[in-house]
Amino acid sequence: MLDRVRPRGPVEGGGRPRLTYPKVLLLLAGALFLLSLVRVLTDENSLTATSQWTAAMTFAVPIGLAGLGGLWAERSGVINIGLEGMMMLGLFAAGWIGWQHGPWAAVVAGVIGGVLGGLVHALATVTFGVDHIVSGVAINILALGVVQFLAKQWFGGEGSEAAAAGGNDKQSPQMERIEPFSVPGISDWLADLSDKHWFLVSDAAGVLRAVVHNVSWLTVLAVLLFVGTYLLLWRTSFGLRLRSCGENPQATESLGVNVYLYKYVALAVSGGLAGLGGAYLAVLIRMYQDGQTGGRGYLGLATMIFGNWRPGGVAAGAGLFGFMDALQTRGGGAVVHATLLLFALILLGVAGWQYYRGRWVVGVALVGVAALLWLWYSVTETMPLELVTASPYLTTLLVLTLFAQRLRTPRAIGKPYRRGEGG
C-alpha cells in the first residue's frame, strides 16, 4: 500500500544511474592509486601512513554520526540544524556520568542527552509548528548556555567532589579509558608491507592497517549503526513509512500511518546519534571539555548533503572531511600542500568524465581549476597556517560545489505539516 506514496519517476539520484558495488570498489581503487601517485611525486609518506588514517577515522566518526543523525531527521521531513547543540548535550552528559561510572556509562548518557535535544526539536517543529531552522538554531544556543552553566555548577563548584577530582568550569574530571583492539598477525604483517614503501602495495597496506590496529570499539559501533540505518530505512516497511513522511506526509497519513509518531521517532534517533558523536569525543579525551564539538555538527550536515541523504554517501563524506582534518592536525602545511596536487588530479578525472557525458563547458571549467591548483602547488613549497587550519572547511565548500547538481532532497523537507490537512 505504501508504494503509492512514492513520487513518480526515480526517487534516488534524480534519475541518474546508482552506484553499484563494483563501481564503488573501482572508485576506491582509483582514489588509492591517486594517493599512491601523489605520495611518490611529493615524497610525503604520511599521506598513506597508518597513523594518518587512524587519525582520519578518529576525526570522521563524530562527524559521520552527526551526519547520520541529520539523515534520520531529514528523511522524515524535518530539517535538523540543531545537531551541534545535540552533540554538546551528549558531550556534557558523557563527561558528567563518565568520571563517576566509567566510559560505557558515558556512552549511554551521551545518547540520552542527545535524545532529549532531539525530542525538544520534535516538540517545537512537529507539535507546535515552529520553523525548523529557527528551532535548530535555538537549540544550538540553548545547549551551549545549558552545558556551560551546568559545568560551572557541577564541575567547578568550590568544594565539590568533581572539583576535588580535577574538574573545573571548563572540563569534567577524567574518566577511565576504553582500550582499543588490534587484530594479531594481520596488523604486524601490514606494518611490514607499509614500511617497504612500494608503490600502491605499501600504500594499500598502510591504509588497511588502520582498520585492524588500535581500533576503538566505538568506531566499530559507528560502522554497525551505518549498516543498521541502511537496512532499517531501505529494507523494511518501517523505513519506507518513515521516508514517505519526508516525501508526502499527507498521502502517508491517508494510508493510516501516524506521521507525528514517525517524525518524533526519527528526531529522537537523530538526537541520539548526534549525542553519541558527542560522547565519542568525551570518551576519546576522557572528559567533557568546553568547545570540544568544534562545529562537527555543522560538518555532519555537510556530509549528509554531500552524501545525498544516504548512509553510504554520509560515510564517504565523513571519511573525506576526517582525512582533511587529520592532515591539517598531524601533517601541517607541507602535507596539506601536497593535497593541492591530489585535488588537481581528481578534478582532471572528473573533467574527463564530464567530457565523456558531453558536458564540455563543465569539463573545461574543471580543467581550468585543476590547472590553477597545479600552478599553486608548483610555485609554493608549503601552505600558510591560516589555510591549513581552514582546509577541512574549504574542502567542504569545494565538494558541495562540485556535487550540488546531483542532490535530491526529500520533497516535503522543512514544510509545515498538520494532521488531517490533506483532506
Side-chain angles (χ1 to χ4, degrees):
M1 292 287 291
L2 276 172
D3 287 339
R4 299 178 188 173
V5 304
R6 290 183 175 178
R8 296 178 180 178
V11 172
E12 307 296 345
R16 296 179 177 86
R18 291 178 56 185
L19 285 176
T20 60
Y21 288 114
K23 290 179 181 179
V24 170
L25 292 175
L26 184 62
L27 287 173
L28 291 176
L32 181 59
F33 176 83
L34 289 179
L35 271 174
S36 303
L37 181 61
V38 172
R39 193 265 302 173
V40 171
L41 293 176
T42 62
D43 200 30
E44 290 291 344
N45 292 324
S46 61
L47 282 172
T48 55
T50 297
S51 58
Q52 165 65 31
W53 285 89
T54 299
M57 283 176 33
T58 300
F59 286 119
V61 169
I63 296 173
L65 288 171
L68 195 63
L71 182 149
W72 272 82
E74 301 206 359
R75 278 292 181 176
S76 73
V78 180
I79 300 172
N80 192 356
I81 300 294
L83 290 169
E84 178 76 6
M86 296 169 197
M87 286 189 77
M88 292 180 196
L89 294 173
L91 173 69
F92 176 83
W96 175 41
I97 295 296
W99 78 272
Q100 302 175 80
H101 303 290
W104 287 110
V107 171
V108 176
V111 172
I112 294 173
V115 168
L116 292 176
L119 290 177
V120 170
H121 191 44
L123 182 66
T125 58
V126 179
T127 301
F128 293 109
V130 176
D131 181 86
H132 299 187
I133 304 297
V134 172
S135 174
V137 172
I139 286 175
N140 290 336
I141 297 172
L142 179 64
L144 177 61
V146 166
V147 300
Q148 289 183 343
F149 172 76
L150 292 180
K152 291 179 181 179
Q153 299 298 313
W154 294 354
F155 300 146
E158 186 175 350
S160 66
E161 184 180 354
N168 57 54
D169 59 355
K170 297 295 183 182
Q171 65 183 44
S172 67
Q174 283 197 339
M175 68 181 78
E176 297 176 3
R177 183 170 183 250
I178 295 180
E179 294 296 332
F181 71 93
S182 298
V183 180
I186 297 178
S187 176
D188 295 335
W189 175 63
L190 290 174
D192 292 337
L193 275 181
S194 179
D195 290 340
K196 296 182 185 299
H197 298 300
W198 293 338
F199 178 75
L200 197 60
V201 175
S202 294
D203 300 300
V207 174
L208 289 175
R209 187 169 181 256
V211 302
V212 296
H213 179 71
N214 283 343
V215 182
S216 169
W217 289 103
L218 294 183
T219 300
V220 177
L221 176 60
V223 173
L224 293 177
L225 287 171
F226 271 88
V227 175
T229 292
Y230 171 74
L231 293 176
L232 189 59
L233 293 188
W234 274 267
R235 290 292 181 267
T236 68
S237 58
F238 167 84
L240 175 58
R241 294 188 187 102
L242 187 144
R243 289 185 292 121
S244 69
C245 292
E247 297 291 342
N248 193 333
Q250 290 80 18
T252 304
E253 179 192 1
S254 71
L255 298 175
V257 175
N258 188 334
V259 175
Y260 280 6
L261 176 62
Y262 275 83
K263 287 179 180 287
Y264 262 87
V265 170
L267 284 167
V269 174
S270 176
L273 289 168
L276 179 59
Y280 179 91
L281 294 172
V283 171
L284 178 67
I285 64 172
R286 299 172 56 197
M287 67 176 72
Y288 157 82
Q289 195 171 64
D290 187 34
Q292 180 66 13
T293 56
R296 288 178 175 84
Y298 301 112
L299 283 178
L301 281 174
T303 65
M304 178 197 66
I305 296 170
F306 162 76
N308 209 9
W309 290 264
R310 294 185 67 92
V314 173
L320 173 62
F321 301 144
F323 176 73
M324 291 305 302
D325 211 355
L327 276 184
Q328 63 96 7
T329 301
R330 296 178 57 87
V335 180
V336 176
H337 178 255
T339 61
L340 293 175
L341 181 59
L342 176 64
F343 284 138
L345 293 174
I346 291 174
L347 288 177
L348 284 177
V350 176
W353 173 247
Q354 296 296 338
Y355 284 134
Y356 173 77
R357 296 180 61 196
R359 302 179 66 181
W360 299 95
V361 176
V362 176
V364 169
L366 291 175
V367 169
V369 175
L372 290 175
L373 290 176
W374 176 83
L375 181 62
W376 187 359
Y377 170 79
S378 299
V379 300
T380 58
E381 295 183 356
T382 187
M383 188 77 74
L385 178 61
E386 294 79 9
L387 290 180
V388 171
T389 304
S391 59
Y393 308 100
L394 294 176
T395 302
T396 303
L397 292 175
L398 176 62
V399 168
L400 291 180
T401 300
L402 288 176
F403 289 92
Q405 295 181 346
R406 298 186 59 87
L407 303 179
R408 185 221 171 256
T409 63
R411 293 190 176 184
I413 188 170
K415 296 180 180 178
Y417 164 75
R418 301 259 60 89
R419 182 177 291 159
E421 67 178 3

PDB file of all heavy atoms in Angstrom, residues 23 29 41-42 63 81 180 202 208 241 264 270 280 304 321 340 360 369 373 421:
ATOM      1  N   LYS A  23      31.268  -0.474  -9.005  1.00  0.00           N
ATOM      2  CA  LYS A  23      31.657   0.914  -9.275  1.00  0.00           C
ATOM      3  C   LYS A  23      32.287   1.553  -8.047  1.00  0.00           C
ATOM      4  O   LYS A  23      33.266   2.301  -8.163  1.00  0.00           O
ATOM      5  CB  LYS A  23      30.430   1.731  -9.717  1.00  0.00           C
ATOM      6  CG  LYS A  23      29.901   1.367 -11.093  1.00  0.00           C
ATOM      7  CD  LYS A  23      28.684   2.215 -11.437  1.00  0.00           C
ATOM      8  CE  LYS A  23      28.128   1.850 -12.806  1.00  0.00           C
ATOM      9  NZ  LYS A  23      26.918   2.656 -13.134  1.00  0.00           N
ATOM     10  N   ALA A  29      39.580   2.076  -5.598  1.00  0.00           N
ATOM     11  CA  ALA A  29      40.883   1.702  -6.165  1.00  0.00           C
ATOM     12  C   ALA A  29      41.526   2.890  -6.872  1.00  0.00           C
ATOM     13  O   ALA A  29      42.737   3.121  -6.765  1.00  0.00           O
ATOM     14  CB  ALA A  29      40.716   0.529  -7.135  1.00  0.00           C
ATOM     15  N   LEU A  41      55.229  11.305  -5.874  1.00  0.00           N
ATOM     16  CA  LEU A  41      55.653  12.555  -6.505  1.00  0.00           C
ATOM     17  C   LEU A  41      56.078  13.606  -5.485  1.00  0.00           C
ATOM     18  O   LEU A  41      56.976  14.407  -5.746  1.00  0.00           O
ATOM     19  CB  LEU A  41      54.522  13.106  -7.374  1.00  0.00           C
ATOM     20  CG  LEU A  41      54.159  12.294  -8.619  1.00  0.00           C
ATOM     21  CD1 LEU A  41      52.957  12.898  -9.333  1.00  0.00           C
ATOM     22  CD2 LEU A  41      55.353  12.215  -9.580  1.00  0.00           C
ATOM     23  N   THR A  42      55.421  13.620  -4.331  1.00  0.00           N
ATOM     24  CA  THR A  42      55.699  14.652  -3.328  1.00  0.00           C
ATOM     25  C   THR A  42      56.611  14.169  -2.196  1.00  0.00           C
ATOM     26  O   THR A  42      57.063  14.981  -1.390  1.00  0.00           O
ATOM     27  CB  THR A  42      54.389  15.160  -2.705  1.00  0.00           C
ATOM     28  OG1 THR A  42      53.739  14.077  -2.029  1.00  0.00           O
ATOM     29  CG2 THR A  42      53.466  15.728  -3.775  1.00  0.00           C
ATOM     30  N   ILE A  63      31.806  13.189  13.140  1.00  0.00           N
ATOM     31  CA  ILE A  63      31.184  13.887  12.013  1.00  0.00           C
ATOM     32  C   ILE A  63      30.178  12.979  11.331  1.00  0.00           C
ATOM     33  O   ILE A  63      29.058  13.389  10.997  1.00  0.00           O
ATOM     34  CB  ILE A  63      32.264  14.348  11.005  1.00  0.00           C
ATOM     35  CG1 ILE A  63      33.196  15.367  11.656  1.00  0.00           C
ATOM     36  CG2 ILE A  63      31.613  14.943   9.762  1.00  0.00           C
ATOM     37  CD1 ILE A  63      34.386  15.750  10.784  1.00  0.00           C
ATOM     38  N   ILE A  81      18.992  21.549  12.070  1.00  0.00           N
ATOM     39  CA  ILE A  81      20.165  22.405  12.215  1.00  0.00           C
ATOM     40  C   ILE A  81      20.746  22.284  13.620  1.00  0.00           C
ATOM     41  O   ILE A  81      21.876  22.685  13.873  1.00  0.00           O
ATOM     42  CB  ILE A  81      19.777  23.875  11.927  1.00  0.00           C
ATOM     43  CG1 ILE A  81      19.239  24.015  10.499  1.00  0.00           C
ATOM     44  CG2 ILE A  81      20.963  24.819  12.100  1.00  0.00           C
ATOM     45  CD1 ILE A  81      20.262  23.752   9.426  1.00  0.00           C
ATOM     46  N   PRO A 180      41.565   0.251  23.019  1.00  0.00           N
ATOM     47  CA  PRO A 180      41.333  -0.178  21.635  1.00  0.00           C
ATOM     48  C   PRO A 180      41.793  -1.622  21.443  1.00  0.00           C
ATOM     49  O   PRO A 180      42.422  -2.216  22.315  1.00  0.00           O
ATOM     50  CB  PRO A 180      42.179   0.799  20.829  1.00  0.00           C
ATOM     51  CG  PRO A 180      43.296   1.179  21.750  1.00  0.00           C
ATOM     52  CD  PRO A 180      42.699   1.180  23.139  1.00  0.00           C
ATOM     53  N   SER A 202      52.366  -0.927  -0.665  1.00  0.00           N
ATOM     54  CA  SER A 202      52.619  -0.415   0.675  1.00  0.00           C
ATOM     55  C   SER A 202      51.576   0.620   1.085  1.00  0.00           C
ATOM     56  O   SER A 202      51.210   0.712   2.259  1.00  0.00           O
ATOM     57  CB  SER A 202      54.019   0.207   0.741  1.00  0.00           C
ATOM     58  OG  SER A 202      55.009  -0.788   0.569  1.00  0.00           O
ATOM     59  N   LEU A 208      44.928  -0.021   5.024  1.00  0.00           N
ATOM     60  CA  LEU A 208      44.177  -1.146   5.581  1.00  0.00           C
ATOM     61  C   LEU A 208      44.548  -1.423   7.035  1.00  0.00           C
ATOM     62  O   LEU A 208      43.713  -1.866   7.822  1.00  0.00           O
ATOM     63  CB  LEU A 208      44.419  -2.401   4.732  1.00  0.00           C
ATOM     64  CG  LEU A 208      43.782  -2.406   3.352  1.00  0.00           C
ATOM     65  CD1 LEU A 208      44.205  -3.644   2.566  1.00  0.00           C
ATOM     66  CD2 LEU A 208      42.253  -2.354   3.463  1.00  0.00           C
ATOM     67  N   ARG A 241       7.860   3.730   5.540  1.00  0.00           N
ATOM     68  CA  ARG A 241       6.891   4.679   6.120  1.00  0.00           C
ATOM     69  C   ARG A 241       7.590   5.958   6.572  1.00  0.00           C
ATOM     70  O   ARG A 241       7.089   7.059   6.353  1.00  0.00           O
ATOM     71  CB  ARG A 241       6.175   4.025   7.300  1.00  0.00           C
ATOM     72  CG  ARG A 241       5.282   2.858   6.921  1.00  0.00           C
ATOM     73  CD  ARG A 241       4.460   2.392   8.105  1.00  0.00           C
ATOM     74  NE  ARG A 241       3.729   1.174   7.794  1.00  0.00           N
ATOM     75  CZ  ARG A 241       4.081  -0.042   8.189  1.00  0.00           C
ATOM     76  NH1 ARG A 241       5.174  -0.199   8.931  1.00  0.00           N
ATOM     77  NH2 ARG A 241       3.366  -1.092   7.862  1.00  0.00           N
ATOM     78  N   TYR A 264       8.592  11.999  15.399  1.00  0.00           N
ATOM     79  CA  TYR A 264       9.155  12.004  16.748  1.00  0.00           C
ATOM     80  C   TYR A 264      10.241  10.937  16.891  1.00  0.00           C
ATOM     81  O   TYR A 264      11.311  11.186  17.463  1.00  0.00           O
ATOM     82  CB  TYR A 264       8.057  11.772  17.788  1.00  0.00           C
ATOM     83  CG  TYR A 264       7.543  13.043  18.428  1.00  0.00           C
ATOM     84  CD1 TYR A 264       6.516  13.776  17.837  1.00  0.00           C
ATOM     85  CD2 TYR A 264       8.078  13.514  19.619  1.00  0.00           C
ATOM     86  CE1 TYR A 264       6.036  14.942  18.415  1.00  0.00           C
ATOM     87  CE2 TYR A 264       7.609  14.674  20.213  1.00  0.00           C
ATOM     88  CZ  TYR A 264       6.589  15.394  19.608  1.00  0.00           C
ATOM     89  OH  TYR A 264       6.127  16.563  20.183  1.00  0.00           O
ATOM     90  N   SER A 270      17.747  10.789  15.680  1.00  0.00           N
ATOM     91  CA  SER A 270      18.671  11.807  15.178  1.00  0.00           C
ATOM     92  C   SER A 270      19.467  12.429  16.320  1.00  0.00           C
ATOM     93  O   SER A 270      20.701  12.526  16.268  1.00  0.00           O
ATOM     94  CB  SER A 270      17.888  12.890  14.426  1.00  0.00           C
ATOM     95  OG  SER A 270      18.737  13.944  14.009  1.00  0.00           O
ATOM     96  N   TYR A 280      31.415  10.184  21.977  1.00  0.00           N
ATOM     97  CA  TYR A 280      32.662   9.680  21.397  1.00  0.00           C
ATOM     98  C   TYR A 280      33.815  10.649  21.678  1.00  0.00           C
ATOM     99  O   TYR A 280      34.916  10.237  22.037  1.00  0.00           O
ATOM    100  CB  TYR A 280      32.480   9.494  19.892  1.00  0.00           C
ATOM    101  CG  TYR A 280      33.712   9.010  19.172  1.00  0.00           C
ATOM    102  CD1 TYR A 280      33.950   7.652  18.990  1.00  0.00           C
ATOM    103  CD2 TYR A 280      34.646   9.908  18.654  1.00  0.00           C
ATOM    104  CE1 TYR A 280      35.081   7.201  18.324  1.00  0.00           C
ATOM    105  CE2 TYR A 280      35.778   9.469  17.993  1.00  0.00           C
ATOM    106  CZ  TYR A 280      35.989   8.111  17.831  1.00  0.00           C
ATOM    107  OH  TYR A 280      37.117   7.682  17.182  1.00  0.00           O
ATOM    108  N   MET A 304      25.953  14.969   5.197  1.00  0.00           N
ATOM    109  CA  MET A 304      24.634  14.469   4.827  1.00  0.00           C
ATOM    110  C   MET A 304      24.220  14.990   3.454  1.00  0.00           C
ATOM    111  O   MET A 304      23.703  14.245   2.614  1.00  0.00           O
ATOM    112  CB  MET A 304      23.617  14.887   5.882  1.00  0.00           C
ATOM    113  CG  MET A 304      22.191  14.470   5.592  1.00  0.00           C
ATOM    114  SD  MET A 304      21.021  15.408   6.596  1.00  0.00           S
ATOM    115  CE  MET A 304      21.251  17.065   5.937  1.00  0.00           C
ATOM    116  N   PHE A 321      36.197  14.402   5.076  1.00  0.00           N
ATOM    117  CA  PHE A 321      36.432  15.520   5.985  1.00  0.00           C
ATOM    118  C   PHE A 321      37.325  15.102   7.151  1.00  0.00           C
ATOM    119  O   PHE A 321      38.130  15.890   7.642  1.00  0.00           O
ATOM    120  CB  PHE A 321      35.105  16.071   6.489  1.00  0.00           C
ATOM    121  CG  PHE A 321      34.202  16.560   5.381  1.00  0.00           C
ATOM    122  CD1 PHE A 321      32.832  16.399   5.444  1.00  0.00           C
ATOM    123  CD2 PHE A 321      34.738  17.164   4.246  1.00  0.00           C
ATOM    124  CE1 PHE A 321      32.008  16.837   4.413  1.00  0.00           C
ATOM    125  CE2 PHE A 321      33.926  17.599   3.211  1.00  0.00           C
ATOM    126  CZ  PHE A 321      32.558  17.434   3.296  1.00  0.00           C
ATOM    127  N   LEU A 340      47.087  19.693  -2.773  1.00  0.00           N
ATOM    128  CA  LEU A 340      46.758  20.509  -3.946  1.00  0.00           C
ATOM    129  C   LEU A 340      46.945  19.711  -5.220  1.00  0.00           C
ATOM    130  O   LEU A 340      46.116  19.760  -6.141  1.00  0.00           O
ATOM    131  CB  LEU A 340      47.637  21.765  -3.971  1.00  0.00           C
ATOM    132  CG  LEU A 340      47.406  22.803  -2.867  1.00  0.00           C
ATOM    133  CD1 LEU A 340      48.453  23.906  -2.972  1.00  0.00           C
ATOM    134  CD2 LEU A 340      46.004  23.391  -2.971  1.00  0.00           C
ATOM    135  N   TRP A 360      30.751  19.747 -22.049  1.00  0.00           N
ATOM    136  CA  TRP A 360      32.044  20.344 -22.385  1.00  0.00           C
ATOM    137  C   TRP A 360      32.361  21.566 -21.539  1.00  0.00           C
ATOM    138  O   TRP A 360      33.511  21.760 -21.113  1.00  0.00           O
ATOM    139  CB  TRP A 360      32.067  20.728 -23.869  1.00  0.00           C
ATOM    140  CG  TRP A 360      31.871  19.547 -24.764  1.00  0.00           C
ATOM    141  CD1 TRP A 360      30.705  19.106 -25.316  1.00  0.00           C
ATOM    142  CD2 TRP A 360      32.880  18.630 -25.191  1.00  0.00           C
ATOM    143  NE1 TRP A 360      30.906  17.980 -26.058  1.00  0.00           N
ATOM    144  CE2 TRP A 360      32.250  17.666 -26.003  1.00  0.00           C
ATOM    145  CE3 TRP A 360      34.257  18.530 -24.975  1.00  0.00           C
ATOM    146  CZ2 TRP A 360      32.947  16.622 -26.603  1.00  0.00           C
ATOM    147  CZ3 TRP A 360      34.948  17.489 -25.573  1.00  0.00           C
ATOM    148  CH2 TRP A 360      34.299  16.550 -26.357  1.00  0.00           C
ATOM    149  N   VAL A 369      40.275  24.884 -13.197  1.00  0.00           N
ATOM    150  CA  VAL A 369      40.514  24.861 -11.749  1.00  0.00           C
ATOM    151  C   VAL A 369      41.681  23.941 -11.417  1.00  0.00           C
ATOM    152  O   VAL A 369      42.535  24.267 -10.572  1.00  0.00           O
ATOM    153  CB  VAL A 369      39.242  24.417 -11.001  1.00  0.00           C
ATOM    154  CG1 VAL A 369      39.519  24.283  -9.509  1.00  0.00           C
ATOM    155  CG2 VAL A 369      38.107  25.406 -11.236  1.00  0.00           C
ATOM    156  N   LEU A 373      45.211  24.867  -9.441  1.00  0.00           N
ATOM    157  CA  LEU A 373      45.719  24.140  -8.285  1.00  0.00           C
ATOM    158  C   LEU A 373      47.138  23.625  -8.537  1.00  0.00           C
ATOM    159  O   LEU A 373      48.000  23.678  -7.646  1.00  0.00           O
ATOM    160  CB  LEU A 373      44.791  22.968  -7.936  1.00  0.00           C
ATOM    161  CG  LEU A 373      43.425  23.331  -7.351  1.00  0.00           C
ATOM    162  CD1 LEU A 373      42.587  22.072  -7.142  1.00  0.00           C
ATOM    163  CD2 LEU A 373      43.577  24.076  -6.029  1.00  0.00           C
ATOM    164  N   GLU A 421      -4.710  17.783   7.342  1.00  0.00           N
ATOM    165  CA  GLU A 421      -4.807  18.886   6.383  1.00  0.00           C
ATOM    166  C   GLU A 421      -4.862  18.402   4.941  1.00  0.00           C
ATOM    167  O   GLU A 421      -5.199  19.155   4.037  1.00  0.00           O
ATOM    168  CB  GLU A 421      -3.603  19.827   6.543  1.00  0.00           C
ATOM    169  CG  GLU A 421      -2.270  19.217   6.140  1.00  0.00           C
ATOM    170  CD  GLU A 421      -1.115  20.197   6.259  1.00  0.00           C
ATOM    171  OE1 GLU A 421      -1.360  21.331   6.721  1.00  0.00           O
ATOM    172  OE2 GLU A 421      -0.005  19.824   5.891  1.00  0.00           O
TER     173      GLU A 421
END
